Amino acid sequence: SQQGEEDPQALSIQEGENATMNCSYKTSINNLQWYRQNSGRGLVHLILIRSNEREKHSGRLRVTLDTSKKSSSLLITASRAADTASYFCATGRDTGRRALTFGSGTRLQVQP
Amino acid sequence: EAEVAQSPRYKITEKSQAVAFWCDPISGHATLYWYRQILGQGPELLVQFQDESVVDDSQLPKDRFSAERLKGVDSTLKIQPAELGDSAMYLCASSPQTQETQYFGPGTRLLVL
């Protein structure tokens, strides 16, 4: 079963606009990660935020984490057509089982 | 930059046939994962290896799926016999011993007819 739920399931914006995706999860975590997947390809790691962090930036990406609400958000600023992809949040636990539990993803379409 | 290799990229087979997928992780990565991704959903773990040992195969349908990583390097995932419901993308990922970030291969898209 999948741990996280992304919201919205699909998002369509114009180039230059900001895109915000949300992720909710159910159990306690050690870290939360965001991945991008272009159509028919493998996943690419974007950013990792640990449970003791509240906000993290990487280039045009900003991730927040609220462990009290078991939720995270990914903000992509000044979006580009090349940002068109599916975005997944994934949660990790601090156990020997390092496999990630993925959400169902948000499909982002950036119109040129 | 080192990448995870997977082959084949695409596989079409008939139900009841056997299929096998291969994965070569990034050199030095001790942990290897096989995920299955159904269209429109996120990846779900099938099996996790630490070196040559299975750490977690609780979600692997063991009546038809098998996985091995004999020398702790590359890995093979087999399905026998394939069923229609096995049509999906099969993703391999690897990570270094102490890091949480996972590096994914391009995947093998399986279509069972």
Side-chain angles (χ1 to χ4, degrees):
Chain A
S1 62
Q2 302 198 304
Q3 154 91 302
E5 291 288 337
E6 279 93 338
D7 172 55
Q9 289 187 331
L11 179 61
S12 182
I13 59 174
Q14 296 294 124
E15 222 170 12
E17 294 180 339
N18 295 341
T20 299
M21 289 159 266
N22 303 296
C23 168
S24 60
Y25 57 92
K26 299 174 184 174
T27 62
S28 61
I29 62 172
N30 172 263
N31 66 82
L32 186 144
Q33 304 181 37
W34 286 90
Y35 286 79
R36 183 187 73 215
Q37 184 178 35
N38 289 82
S39 180
R41 304 302 301 271
L43 282 75
V44 175
H45 179 262
L46 295 176
I47 197 165
L48 180 152
I49 185 166
R50 300 193 182 283
S51 58
N52 61 352
E53 298 177 307
R54 292 296 168 258
E55 187 171 313
K56 205 161 184 180
H57 297 255
S58 176
R60 295 184 295 112
L61 306 180
R62 172 178 169 258
V63 169
T64 62
L65 178 63
D66 186 335
T67 54
S68 67
K69 295 181 179 179
K70 291 187 170 60
S71 67
S72 173
S73 68
L74 170 67
L75 169 67
I76 304 174
T77 60
S79 62
R80 306 166 181 168
D83 295 328
T84 294
S86 290
Y87 291 81
F88 295 91
C89 69
T91 53
R93 293 185 174 181
D94 187 18
T95 65
R97 180 186 183 277
R98 291 185 177 276
L100 298 171
T101 304
F102 285 85
S104 51
T106 292
R107 287 172 293 285
L108 173 66
Q109 177 77 40
V110 181
Q111 306 286 351
Chain B
E1 184 175 324
E3 295 181 341
V4 175
Q6 286 188 250
S7 67
R9 291 293 311 278
Y10 304 93
K11 179 69 177 179
I12 300 175
T13 191
E14 294 183 344
K15 63 180 182 179
S16 80
Q17 295 298 305
V19 292
F21 313 131
W22 177 79
C23 172
D24 191 12
I26 293 172
S27 178
H29 282 196
T31 312
L32 184 147
Y33 314 83
W34 283 101
Y35 290 90
R36 178 170 60 185
Q37 184 179 26
I38 295 170
L39 192 63
Q41 298 183 19
E44 292 188 313
L45 180 72
L46 291 174
V47 61
Q48 175 187 345
F49 289 93
Q50 183 68 29
D51 299 309
E52 67 275 11
S53 301
V54 173
V55 173
D56 185 350
D57 64 355
S58 58
Q59 301 303 310
L60 188 71
K62 299 181 188 63
D63 57 335
R64 298 185 300 108
F65 286 64
S66 64
E68 60 183 15
R69 193 184 184 197
L70 293 175
K71 296 182 179 180
V73 180
D74 59 335
S75 175
T76 302
L77 177 70
K78 298 179 181 177
I79 308 174
Q80 182 173 17
E83 296 180 352
L84 296 178
D86 296 331
S87 294
M89 173 79 90
Y90 290 82
L91 294 162
C92 179
S94 68
S95 64
Q97 183 83 13
T98 57
Q99 293 186 22
E100 297 99 332
T101 299
Q102 294 184 16
Y103 300 83
F104 282 80
T108 295
R109 183 167 293 283
L110 173 66
L111 178 61
V112 182
L113 303 175

